[in-house]
């Protein structure tokens, strides 16, 4: 099936999304920092089962093709993304849907699943965290300067945004996410985890250089009945690097 792209107005902004498949089970893919459907979910849009699923990948406001507005990081940016994501799916007339969230998109998905329990069918998150430690802040500062990124990771984002927007937004993200470390326990959404009632699958790459494994274990421990899968060779982008294995595991869980 082809992948169609469109924009729809939600909460005062025009959100871009891609959609494919005609299955009865709707699934929203939530990208990471600076991410979009196009840059973050190629193998999922292409290869996930299109008979079983209708797959939607969105670009959060200020990312991908959901510009304008420019991206900013107020204290509630994850809550804002969660509301945008849920309202987008409702605007597209999906009554209930599952969430697949990577990295920042995983945090957004955790918040959405906790706050809108009647709308969320199942939840899959990987490379996500519910708090920010001083160690995390050190890691984030290590990626602040995009000129030090590997060519492979940097190039698609530079093509999408141009160098200036990409560099400026990455710095703003580091500042925005690091602020959570000032909260008690570095809290982002720890208090919401017990409110997640839908079946939840947490995947973590044991070689993830950006998100230490303790974060995945914390989320698993605080979401009742959740499942945790550790991928020994997985890094942060395990769904791209091991797309076939990832897609199979996720489809089995969503069935």
């Amino acid at each position: 099936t082809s992948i169609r792209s469109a924009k729809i107005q939600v909460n005062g902004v025009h959100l871009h999304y891609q959609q494919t498949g005609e299955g009865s089970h709707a699934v929203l893919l939530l990208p990471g920092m600076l991410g979009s459907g196009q840059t973050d979910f190629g193998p999922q849009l292409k290869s996930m089962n299109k008979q079983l699923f209708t797959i939607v990948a969105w670009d959060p406001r200020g990312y991908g093709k959901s510009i304008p507005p420019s991206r900013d990081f107020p204290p509630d940016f994850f809550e804002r993304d969660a509301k945008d994501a849920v309202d987008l799916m409702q605007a597209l007339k999906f009554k209930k849907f599952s969430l697949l969230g990577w990295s920042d998109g995983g945090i957004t998905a955790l918040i959405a699943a906790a706050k809108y329990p009647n709308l969320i069918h199942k939840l899959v998150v990987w490379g996500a965290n519910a708090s920010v430690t001083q160690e995390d802040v050190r890691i984030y500062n290590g990626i602040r300067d995009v000129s030090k990124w590997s060519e492979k990771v940097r190039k698609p984002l530079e093509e999408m945004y141009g160098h200036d927007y990409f560099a400026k937004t990455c710095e703003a993200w580091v500042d925005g996410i690091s602020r959570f470390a000032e909260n008690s326990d570095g809290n982002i959404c720890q208090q919401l985890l017990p409110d997640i009632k839908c079946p939840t699958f947490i995947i973590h790459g044991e070689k993830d250089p950006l998100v230490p494994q303790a974060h995945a274990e914390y989320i698993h421990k605080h979401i009742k009945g959740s499942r945790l899968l550790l991928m020994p060779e997985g890094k942060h982008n395990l769904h791209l690097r091991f797309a076939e294995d990832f897609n199979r595991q996720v489809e089995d869980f969503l069935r």
Side-chain angles (χ1 to χ4, degrees):
T1 347
S2 63
I3 299 169
R4 69 181 189 88
S5 295
K7 278 190 165 185
I8 188 165
Q9 189 166 350
V10 176
N11 299 328
V13 293
H14 290 89
L15 295 176
H16 177 264
Y17 66 95
Q18 291 168 287
Q19 185 173 329
T20 186
E22 59 267 341
S24 59
H25 188 155
V27 177
L28 177 65
L29 308 178
L30 299 96
M33 176 262 276
L34 277 162
S36 64
Q38 181 188 324
T39 53
D40 287 13
F41 295 118
Q44 285 68 47
L45 285 163
K46 184 168 168 254
S47 305
M48 277 183 72
N49 187 317
K50 299 186 181 188
Q51 280 65 56
L52 287 180
F53 306 109
T54 296
I55 299 145
V56 178
W58 82 309
D59 299 359
R61 61 169 75 199
Y63 285 166
K65 293 179 182 162
S66 296
I67 302 172
S70 289
R71 181 70 182 187
D72 62 349
F73 300 94
D76 67 342
F77 74 91
F78 285 118
E79 281 81 5
R80 182 180 67 182
D81 282 350
K83 183 168 169 36
D84 281 349
V86 165
D87 291 350
L88 166 75
M89 291 300 276
Q90 293 202 289
L92 295 176
K93 304 283 187 270
F94 295 110
K95 287 188 171 60
K96 205 165 180 172
F97 44 92
S98 292
L99 301 174
L100 265 64
W102 176 38
S103 198
D104 269 17
I107 300 172
T108 302
L110 291 168
I111 293 169
K115 289 194 161 182
Y116 309 96
N118 301 334
L119 301 175
I120 310 306
H121 184 41
K122 292 185 177 183
L123 173 64
V124 183
V125 296
W126 65 105
N129 46 301
S131 65
V132 174
T133 66
Q134 289 305 324
E135 164 70 356
D136 296 326
V137 172
R138 195 185 59 73
I139 294 170
Y140 301 149
N141 277 305
I143 63 165
R144 177 186 287 276
D145 179 356
V146 297
S147 68
K148 295 186 177 141
W149 289 26
S150 77
E151 170 84 357
K152 192 166 155 245
V153 179
R154 193 178 71 228
K155 209 168 167 216
L157 292 165
E158 275 189 340
E159 282 169 6
M160 161 105 40
Y161 294 114
H163 177 78
D164 289 354
Y165 187 90
F166 170 41
K168 188 182 81 191
T169 307
C170 180
E171 286 193 12
W173 175 83
V174 171
D175 293 338
I177 191 116
S178 298
R179 261 185 240 118
F180 289 103
E182 296 160 16
N183 294 346
S184 152
D185 292 334
N187 180 46
I188 302 175
C189 61
Q190 290 170 318
Q191 76 291 357
L192 293 175
L193 300 180
D195 296 342
I196 296 174
K197 303 291 186 244
C198 65
T200 301
F201 187 19
I202 301 139
I203 305 174
H204 193 77
E206 291 189 31
K207 294 185 174 173
D208 189 331
L210 288 174
V211 180
Q213 190 171 312
H215 285 301
E217 289 165 353
Y218 182 95
I219 294 168
H220 172 47
K221 187 178 161 192
H222 291 87
I223 299 178
K224 204 174 169 221
S226 64
R227 232 175 92 191
L228 174 63
L229 170 70
L230 298 175
M231 291 177 69
E233 293 303 309
K235 292 188 180 175
H236 196 58
N237 64 347
L238 55 87
H239 65 298
L240 302 176
R241 175 81 201 284
F242 302 105
E244 212 170 301
D245 185 21
F246 175 87
N247 288 358
R248 189 182 67 247
Q249 297 274 3
V250 166
E251 287 181 4
D252 287 348
F253 172 73
L254 291 177
R255 278 173 205 268

